[in-house]
Amino acid sequence: MGLVVQKFGGTSVGSAERIKHVAERVIEEKNRGNDVVVVVSAMGKTTDSLVKLAGEITDTPSKREMDVLLTTGEQITISLLAMALNEKNVEAISFTGWQAGMETEAVHGNARILNIKTERIEEHLMDGKVVIVAGFQGITEGGDITTLGRGGSDTTAVALAAALKADKCDIYTDVTGVYTTDPRYVKEARKLLSISYDEMLELANLGAGVLHPRAVEYAKNYQMPLVVRSSMEQEEGTIIEEEVSMEQNLVVRGVAFEDNITSVTVFGLKNSLTSLSTIFSTLASNHINVDIIIQSLTESQATNLSFSIKDSDLNETVKVLEENKAVLGYDKVASEQGLAKVSIVGSGMISNPGVAADMFKVLAEQDIVIKMVSTSEIKVSTVIEKGNMVKAVETLHDAFDLSNLPVINA
Amino acid sequence: MGLVVQKFGGTSVGSAERIKHVAERVIEEKNRGNDVVVVVSAMGKTTDSLVKLAGEITDTPSKREMDVLLTTGEQITISLLAMALNEKNVEAISFTGWQAGMETEAVHGNARILNIKTERIEEHLMDGKVVIVAGFQGITEGGDITTLGRGGSDTTAVALAAALKADKCDIYTDVTGVYTTDPRYVKEARKLLSISYDEMLELANLGAGVLHPRAVEYAKNYQMPLVVRSSMEQEEGTIIEEEVSMEQNLVVRGVAFEDNITSVTVFGLKNSLTSLSTIFSTLASNHINVDIIIQSLTESQATNLSFSIKDSDLNETVKVLEENKAVLGYDKVASEQGLAKVSIVGSGMISNPGVAADMFKVLAEQDIVIKMVSTSEIKVSTVIEKGNMVKAVETLHDAFDLSNLPVINA
């Protein structure tokens, strides 16, 4: 007898039919003798419809009211899933975020969970019920409804699993697990049996998109094993945990990529000491996410600074830089759009020097020019031309032996 | 400076456009110098869509989960209306039932309001904000979501008006007021300037459909003046209050009607003393609403009992009666479908004997056979054939001088 938290995303609960199918999945787990807590997202395109409705009213909706609006999405799903379980003679009870005791900070649209009062959930688990909790939502101390932002339902699931001391947290999604790279682009992509939190964090941040980094961080902090698996197919998923037991001989465990990257270069920064922090705090306060940052010295006293952003943030970035030109003290700004980021990720890099060099060599052999480089302990990222992205990924996937991995459940 | 509670129904908030229009109505009231609390229903067909969705999952949804599901409807509207007011630079804040402190008994689908903790609403009114409250919903002591059943949003509005000691409660709807009869059937129907709570209660119970009787009862208990008016047109509405000052010379103030009535007769009840209460408590526990009840003596010791129900309840009624035949001790059951109920209502009847006789005479002159009769202090109801319904209403409307009333705002 254990306790399992299951999370089903928007596609998995996209219709009455699919909700019935999810109920089957819940019952399977229950029949294994486990207590089950289920976290669900809003049905399919519900959130989009609600956002559209708000857009017909105003271009600048209050964040508080957006949270009131959007949280109805999960509230619909929890009640329907409870009904679907009841229909199959399984006792179930639904809880919204506030009913589940999901206390968050008083920030609308992107609140962090502060505490979960699990008494009510535990009481109903003791009664043998399946407890269904609305993902993505919480309540402030003052009784206002909040949402957790992107990846919110994953975070709800992991946080609940941690608070309830669950044995594991299964993230059911529309993919069958975590892959060595995106199988939609690279047919040699292989599903991994396991991956470490840190590797998953790098992959999530790099656009692998399976799990939100916040949820992975939360899981790492609480050492809660996560399993990413398909809600539609009966396939083994990928376990995300601290110590990865399988495939440990792999230096690189995944190749991630992301297009629509722009590089911006600020030439001739006069006072790099203060202007560096000024530039990035100014961009951050304008909600521009900066990814790779490279600072290079010039022959003069001045500094050149390059960083990467999303294509869509370019206009705003240039505007912010120009408005602050006097304070920042630079010569000129240049940018290059239509770039892509390709990264290799693997804990094995820590004990294997020269992995970055291998990557550069592989790309050079394909005549792929590297525009920017950034490295961490377990990751090397390169910015290249978008047109070379898929070729780079395929070549790296082969070169680091990922295409030779056994195929799992497929 | 007063306090006005406004209530807008589903049609009035049926689209983003209409919600913007409602915002204008709220601002007009605010500009008159009043504090405003707004109660709203779910948008147009939202509730129907949610019921349909539940129907795709199960035929027997848990009432608790239906309440979780359906309350999302009003939650969507409150947030959108708050956004629409903000967009017009009016400060507004939305509250769900539980946020508004709407405490109800622990009954799902049809809960009664026990208490309203108005502190939070009052605090925001003090700040000059428009407070928007989700109608139809509440919360139990145990933290479960409840709904108030039919006419729930009207009841929310009246209960809030009473709890906040508002100066009045305006019920905005898709009709321009309370009419002497249904203008969709009788072109001579006239809007009333005022009507008493008791008259409105009789009209509401008789299917006039403008206001739910529960809301009127609540208003009467707290002596809260209600105004029924159009959300679309700038027309004076009808005020519902204790003492009706205008049109007091009218003996009859309205002709109400309702079709799809079935009469059921139970012949030869052996022990009328106990079987009367047994029959109706048995039917009530099977959720069958009985309207008119007539008991007649026969030549033997036994009693014949007739009562009217909705056509749709006939099968269930017959089933219940047959299952309990041994206990009830009767000879046989007969029924007649396809009937209608036509009623005249007016406080003036109390001091004008012979009004019922006038009604029977008018109907007899039209060769309309009266199948059942029921009377109260301020109402006479007759059950006739459905085919005669509109003719009966028109003739009574003329005969009791209602067609001669002045036309208001039209």
Side-chain angles (χ1 to χ4, degrees):
Chain A
M1 271 291 281
L3 170 61
V4 176
V5 174
Q6 299 183 314
K7 182 259 171 177
F8 294 89
T11 316
S12 307
V13 295
S15 67
E17 272 319 302
R18 291 205 169 179
I19 289 172
K20 290 182 199 174
H21 181 81
V22 165
E24 296 289 354
R25 277 309 174 80
V26 175
I27 292 168
E28 282 165 24
E29 194 63 59
K30 188 86 181 143
N31 288 345
R32 280 182 209 117
N34 290 315
D35 282 338
V36 185
V37 172
V38 191
V39 174
V40 287
S41 303
M43 292 172 72
K45 300 290 169 198
T46 306
T47 306
D48 291 346
S49 314
L50 292 171
V51 169
K52 184 163 166 284
L53 204 47
E56 289 171 26
I57 301 274
T58 174
D59 293 330
T60 53
S62 132
K63 286 190 172 183
R64 179 190 186 278
E65 300 301 337
M66 275 308 278
D67 283 354
V68 174
L69 180 66
L70 295 182
T71 50
T72 61
E74 297 82 34
Q75 189 170 331
I76 290 172
T77 320
I78 56 171
S79 60
L80 294 176
L81 181 56
M83 291 177 197
L85 284 163
N86 290 340
E87 177 72 11
K88 294 173 198 291
N89 296 314
V90 173
E91 278 199 286
I93 187 165
S94 76
F95 291 129
T96 60
W98 58 269
Q99 290 178 320
M102 190 68 60
E103 299 179 344
T104 74
E105 48 180 13
V107 171
H108 290 289
N110 200 22
R112 277 175 308 184
I113 298 168
L114 297 177
N115 180 38
I116 309 180
K117 286 197 178 142
T118 54
E119 294 80 2
R120 203 163 170 200
I121 293 175
E122 281 165 327
E123 179 192 315
H124 288 277
L125 285 176
M126 294 265 279
D127 286 350
K129 287 183 200 153
V130 171
V131 174
I132 303 161
V133 177
F136 180 67
Q137 55 184 249
I139 183 176
T140 68
E141 202 185 345
D144 280 327
I145 297 171
T146 52
T147 60
L148 311 183
R150 291 198 53 160
S153 291
D154 288 344
T155 308
T156 301
V158 175
L160 263 178
L164 293 165
K165 299 185 179 31
D167 296 287
K168 65 170 176 163
C169 180
D170 282 357
I171 309 286
Y172 287 84
T173 172
D174 49 358
V175 297
T176 55
V178 179
Y179 280 74
T180 51
T181 192
D182 190 333
R184 288 172 299 182
Y185 291 80
V186 181
K187 72 172 199 313
E188 298 297 330
R190 293 290 187 274
K191 187 164 70 185
L192 293 162
L193 283 176
S194 60
I195 188 169
S196 72
Y197 295 121
D198 288 336
E199 289 170 328
M200 191 65 212
L201 271 174
E202 292 286 5
L203 284 172
N205 277 316
L206 293 168
V210 178
L211 267 179
H212 197 271
R214 248 169 100 181
V216 180
E217 267 176 28
Y218 220 109
K220 179 179 158 68
N221 287 343
Y222 288 92
Q223 294 290 305
M224 173 59 55
L226 293 182
V227 177
V228 172
R229 57 192 308 172
S230 165
S231 63
M232 307 309 281
E233 333 226 349
Q234 289 283 6
E235 257 189 43
E236 211 174 328
T238 302
I239 186 161
I240 304 158
E241 57 194 340
E242 189 65 36
E243 289 296 328
V244 175
S245 48
M246 310 293 292
E247 306 149 332
Q248 250 170 347
N249 55 328
L250 285 180
V251 174
V252 169
R253 210 175 298 266
V255 183
F257 52 94
E258 191 180 353
D259 56 9
N260 301 321
I261 303 282
T262 288
S263 78
V264 176
T265 304
V266 182
F267 291 98
L269 272 174
K270 296 298 173 299
N271 186 348
S272 65
L273 206 65
T274 57
S275 49
L276 251 186
S277 69
T278 310
I279 282 186
F280 294 115
S281 59
T282 308
L283 290 173
S285 68
N286 283 275
H287 304 289
I288 295 164
N289 274 321
V290 171
D291 185 11
I292 297 177
I293 298 171
I294 292 167
Q295 189 186 346
S296 57
L297 293 172
T298 60
E299 286 166 23
S300 70
Q301 284 291 78
T303 306
N304 292 347
L305 176 74
S306 297
F307 54 88
S308 70
I309 54 173
K310 283 184 187 155
D311 282 349
S312 53
D313 281 340
L314 178 58
N315 289 344
E316 184 71 12
T317 303
V318 171
K319 192 176 142 226
V320 168
L321 289 175
E322 280 175 0
E323 282 170 1
N324 294 279
K325 186 164 183 179
V327 184
L328 299 171
Y330 59 84
D331 291 338
K332 64 167 184 168
V333 172
S335 64
E336 183 175 6
Q337 286 185 278
L339 301 177
K341 183 169 68 166
V342 173
S343 311
I344 54 173
V345 174
S347 316
M349 287 182 201
I350 299 173
S351 47
N352 281 273
V355 175
D358 289 347
M359 181 187 193
F360 304 153
K361 182 161 164 273
V362 168
L363 294 178
E365 281 166 4
Q366 300 289 324
D367 294 322
I368 295 169
V369 176
I370 298 170
K371 311 249 175 186
M372 298 173 92
V373 173
S374 160
T375 61
S376 80
E377 297 267 292
I378 62 166
K379 176 201 73 170
V380 183
S381 294
T382 58
V383 172
I384 60 175
E385 274 173 18
K386 192 173 158 181
N388 287 326
M389 183 178 77
V390 175
K391 186 171 74 173
V393 173
E394 284 174 340
T395 313
L396 291 166
H397 196 266
D398 287 345
F400 287 103
D401 289 331
L402 296 173
S403 304
N404 296 329
L405 281 178
V407 175
I408 303 160
N409 291 99
Chain B
M1 270 292 282
L3 171 62
V4 176
V5 174
Q6 300 183 314
K7 182 257 171 179
F8 294 89
T11 316
S12 307
V13 295
S15 66
E17 272 320 302
R18 291 205 168 179
I19 288 172
K20 289 183 199 175
H21 182 81
V22 164
E24 296 289 355
R25 278 307 173 85
V26 174
I27 293 169
E28 281 164 25
E29 194 63 59
K30 188 87 183 142
N31 287 345
R32 281 182 207 115
N34 290 314
D35 282 338
V36 185
V37 173
V38 192
V39 174
V40 287
S41 303
M43 291 172 73
K45 300 289 169 199
T46 306
T47 306
D48 292 347
S49 313
L50 293 172
V51 170
K52 184 163 167 283
L53 204 47
E56 290 172 27
I57 300 273
T58 174
D59 293 329
T60 53
S62 135
K63 287 189 172 184
R64 179 190 186 277
E65 300 302 337
M66 274 308 277
D67 283 354
V68 173
L69 181 65
L70 295 182
T71 50
T72 60
E74 297 82 32
Q75 189 170 330
I76 291 172
T77 320
I78 56 171
S79 61
L80 294 176
L81 180 56
M83 290 176 198
L85 284 163
N86 291 340
E87 178 71 12
K88 295 172 198 292
N89 295 314
V90 173
E91 277 199 286
I93 186 164
S94 76
F95 291 129
T96 61
W98 58 269
Q99 289 178 319
M102 191 68 59
E103 298 179 345
T104 75
E105 47 180 14
V107 172
H108 289 290
N110 200 24
R112 278 176 306 185
I113 298 168
L114 296 178
N115 180 39
I116 310 179
K117 285 195 179 144
T118 53
E119 294 80 2
R120 202 164 170 199
I121 293 174
E122 283 166 324
E123 179 192 317
H124 287 279
L125 285 176
M126 294 265 278
D127 287 350
K129 288 183 198 153
V130 171
V131 174
I132 303 160
V133 177
F136 179 68
Q137 56 185 248
I139 183 175
T140 68
E141 202 185 345
D144 278 328
I145 296 171
T146 52
T147 61
L148 310 183
R150 290 198 54 161
S153 290
D154 289 343
T155 308
T156 302
V158 176
L160 263 179
L164 293 166
K165 301 185 177 28
D167 295 287
K168 65 170 177 163
C169 179
D170 283 357
I171 309 285
Y172 286 84
T173 171
D174 49 357
V175 298
T176 55
V178 180
Y179 279 74
T180 52
T181 193
D182 190 334
R184 288 170 301 181
Y185 291 81
V186 181
K187 73 173 197 313
E188 298 297 330
R190 293 289 187 275
K191 186 164 70 185
L192 293 162
L193 282 175
S194 60
I195 189 168
S196 72
Y197 294 122
D198 288 336
E199 289 171 326
M200 191 66 214
L201 271 175
E202 292 287 5
L203 285 172
N205 276 318
L206 294 169
V210 178
L211 266 179
H212 197 270
R214 249 168 100 180
V216 180
E217 267 176 29
Y218 220 110
K220 179 177 157 71
N221 287 344
Y222 289 93
Q223 294 289 304
M224 173 58 55
L226 292 182
V227 177
V228 173
R229 58 192 308 170
S230 164
S231 62
M232 307 309 281
E233 333 226 349
Q234 290 282 7
E235 258 189 42
E236 211 173 329
T238 301
I239 186 160
I240 304 159
E241 56 194 341
E242 189 65 35
E243 290 296 329
V244 175
S245 49
M246 311 293 291
E247 306 148 331
Q248 251 171 348
N249 55 330
L250 285 179
V251 174
V252 169
R253 211 176 296 268
V255 183
F257 52 94
E258 189 178 354
D259 57 8
N260 301 321
I261 303 282
T262 287
S263 78
V264 176
T265 304
V266 183
F267 292 98
L269 271 174
K270 297 297 174 297
N271 186 348
S272 65
L273 206 65
T274 56
S275 49
L276 252 186
S277 69
T278 311
I279 282 187
F280 294 114
S281 59
T282 309
L283 290 173
S285 68
N286 284 275
H287 305 289
I288 294 163
N289 274 321
V290 171
D291 185 10
I292 296 178
I293 298 171
I294 292 167
Q295 187 184 350
S296 56
L297 293 173
T298 60
E299 289 165 22
S300 69
Q301 284 291 78
T303 306
N304 292 347
L305 177 73
S306 296
F307 53 88
S308 70
I309 54 173
K310 285 184 185 153
D311 283 349
S312 53
D313 281 339
L314 179 58
N315 289 344
E316 183 71 12
T317 303
V318 171
K319 192 177 143 224
V320 168
L321 289 174
E322 281 176 358
E323 282 170 2
N324 294 280
K325 187 165 183 177
V327 184
L328 298 171
Y330 61 83
D331 292 337
K332 63 167 185 169
V333 173
S335 64
E336 184 176 4
Q337 288 185 276
L339 301 176
K341 185 170 66 165
V342 173
S343 312
I344 55 173
V345 174
S347 317
M349 288 184 198
I350 298 172
S351 47
N352 282 273
V355 175
D358 290 346
M359 182 186 192
F360 303 153
K361 181 160 164 276
V362 168
L363 294 178
E365 281 166 3
Q366 301 288 325
D367 293 323
I368 295 170
V369 177
I370 298 171
K371 312 247 174 189
M372 299 173 91
V373 172
S374 161
T375 60
S376 79
E377 296 268 292
I378 63 166
K379 177 202 72 171
V380 184
S381 293
T382 58
V383 172
I384 60 175
E385 274 174 18
K386 191 173 157 181
N388 288 325
M389 183 178 78
V390 175
K391 186 169 73 172
V393 173
E394 283 174 340
T395 313
L396 291 167
H397 196 266
D398 287 346
F400 286 103
D401 289 333
L402 296 174
S403 304
N404 296 328
L405 281 178
V407 174
I408 303 160
N409 291 98

